[in-house]
Amino acid sequence: MGEQQKKTLAEEVVELLKMDELTVTTAESCTGGLVAARLVDVPGVSEVFKQGFITYSNKAKRKLLNVKKTTLKEFGAVSEKTAREMAKGAILASGADAAIATTGIAGPDGGTEEKPVGLVYIGVSVRGQMYVEEHHFEGDRSEVRESTVQAALVLLKKGLEETDGNDQDH
């Protein structure tokens, strides 16, 4: 192996944020702060990460992120619409340029036929552009949460690359 070690996904994301001079915030439910922790593992992240929200309860989602009561009632906390509203609310509450939102059922209980354990929605907003993905992860609680963190960082990276101004040179 050469002198350069392979960068972690979080390092790549932080590098992209710094390059584009963007800030990021997190709005986490099922991951309980793991996305923020992964970002904070990266030295120099303080330039781009100011705050995150852990909104585990519906009340917290409403109060801190302005997720609509009707959204939670009609679609549930684990839904595309909630992930979208969490990301949007985190941007408004923090003034950041980008946001990652995670909501899902990590298990071992809490799943239903319509919404089984492992169902996760990830919402990412970058410069007003919204990306939402539905995932069905396998494994125990910690594996579902870890898979969610990875997928969330991948989605943010994709969003950053796609909205990277009009200069496609670098």
Side-chain angles (χ1 to χ4, degrees):
M1 232 168 90
E3 278 186 29
Q4 265 209 315
Q5 282 191 303
K6 190 168 167 9
K7 284 189 185 87
T8 66
L9 191 52
E11 285 170 336
E12 289 177 26
V13 164
V14 169
E15 208 169 85
L16 283 168
L17 288 161
K18 283 181 177 179
M19 220 162 58
D20 294 342
E21 296 178 3
L22 299 177
T23 55
V24 67
T25 185
T26 55
E28 302 180 66
S29 187
C30 63
T31 47
L34 286 177
V35 175
R38 195 61 45 83
L39 289 171
V40 172
D41 280 343
V42 180
V45 73
S46 56
E47 286 177 45
V48 296
F49 183 70
K50 308 291 183 244
Q51 68 184 359
F53 303 89
I54 300 173
T55 53
Y56 209 67
S57 70
N58 283 353
K59 188 176 181 180
K61 288 176 183 70
R62 286 201 326 265
K63 192 176 171 185
L64 297 171
L65 303 174
N66 218 15
V67 174
K68 294 183 191 92
K69 201 172 193 169
T70 52
T71 298
L72 294 166
K73 203 177 156 111
E74 284 176 45
F75 302 93
V78 180
S79 65
E80 180 184 335
K81 196 153 172 45
T82 297
R84 190 177 288 274
E85 288 183 20
M86 285 172 71
K88 192 177 168 190
I91 295 265
L92 291 172
S94 68
D97 304 295
I100 300 176
T102 61
T103 184
I105 303 162
D109 45 10
T112 63
E113 215 169 295
E114 299 83 45
K115 295 186 180 185
V117 168
L119 173 65
V120 173
Y121 290 91
I122 299 166
V124 163
S125 176
V126 180
R127 292 179 171 143
Q129 189 71 38
M130 186 69 73
Y131 305 85
V132 182
E133 286 182 351
E134 175 182 318
H135 290 274
H136 294 266
F137 295 122
E138 299 288 321
D140 64 18
R141 184 175 179 82
S142 68
E143 288 167 328
V144 168
R145 293 173 74 218
E146 186 51 45
S147 296
T148 303
V149 172
Q150 284 296 109
L153 290 172
V154 167
L155 187 58
L156 176 58
K157 184 178 177 205
K158 178 184 151 193
L160 289 167
E161 289 168 346
E162 283 185 13
T163 62
D164 188 19
N166 295 325
D167 57 333
Q168 301 299 319
D169 300 316
H170 58 277

